[in-house]
Amino acid sequence: MTHVHLLASFLLRMQETAADQQAAPLPPSGTGGSALLEMLHNSGPVALCVLVILAFTSVFSWAIIFAKWSGFRRAQTQSQRFVRAFRKSSRLSEIATVAEQFKPSPLVTVFNEINDEYQRQTGGRGLPRNPVALERAAQTASSEALTRMESRLTWLATIAAIAPFVGLFGTVMGIIDAFHGLGTQGAATLRAVAPGISEALITTAAGLVVAIPAVIGYNQFTARLREFGARMDDFARELLSAIENSAMAQPAAPQVEERRVRQY
């Protein structure tokens, strides 16, 4: 009889629990967008501050990405045009007069530095007296061009590194607030703690949304910078070879006539 009474009381409690769950009001089944807006509306001041910071860094990083993408695209296009014009021409003076038309190209900077050094050494004729100085001028020009092109890229790296941690900070603070409220209310149920935790996790998602494009943009632009550096080195070597070939191909007749005049 004792076992029968225990079984009956257990079944009665199970029926009461099921009835309570059925009578409890269900949360409104809204769409994902409305639920997200509701969570944002119910977020605390720390989470909102973190979201504002992440929104500002996201706009700043996207501005850098679009600016760099546009600048690198113009530099690549103008570099291809400048190389074609350089290879079609047989005189440095002709290239020097039209070089400013291809100014977004970093190759123009390399050409100007080498040409200026060559003009200072020889006046535009003959072999250079100090070829090492021309190579140093090419290296300096390449370094300056790369420095200008990689400006503000460090901001992308910084945003990509700190954005997840900023979002994690907001999540940790939100979870702390949720568990503090849970301890104050004394209701240890999933329904009581789930809204606070879901609101806190928004900042982590926002941090990842900000960091991922910044990482992709930084890696892509870094690879493009390496390509531009290799192209500038190749163009510098090609320009030095063209200067040497042009100087060696110049006729020596004017020098012979000058010697004859001196003998007479």
Side-chain angles (χ1 to χ4, degrees), residues 87-150:
R87 291 173 179 173
K88 289 180 181 179
S89 179
S90 58
R91 300 178 61 182
L92 293 180
S93 58
E94 297 177 357
I95 301 298
T97 55
V98 299
E100 294 299 325
Q101 300 178 6
F102 310 96
K103 191 59 176 177
S105 172
L107 303 183
V108 176
T109 304
V110 177
F111 174 81
N112 290 333
E113 289 293 333
I114 295 178
N115 186 43
D116 292 344
E117 180 64 25
Y118 177 67
Q119 294 292 332
R120 284 193 294 267
Q121 290 187 17
T122 64
R125 295 185 61 86
L127 290 172
R129 294 188 299 269
N130 189 2
V132 178
L134 295 180
E135 296 178 359
R136 292 175 179 172
Q139 294 176 359
T140 302
S142 300
S143 178
E144 292 177 353
L146 288 177
T147 301
R148 287 193 299 268
M149 295 182 70
E150 68 183 2

Side-chain angles (χ1 to χ4, degrees), residues 189-219:
T189 60
L190 182 61
R191 181 174 296 177
V193 73
I197 294 178
S198 63
E199 294 168 5
L201 291 176
I202 294 178
T203 57
T204 298
L208 294 177
V209 169
V210 174
I212 291 174
V215 171
I216 295 175
Y218 179 77
N219 291 334

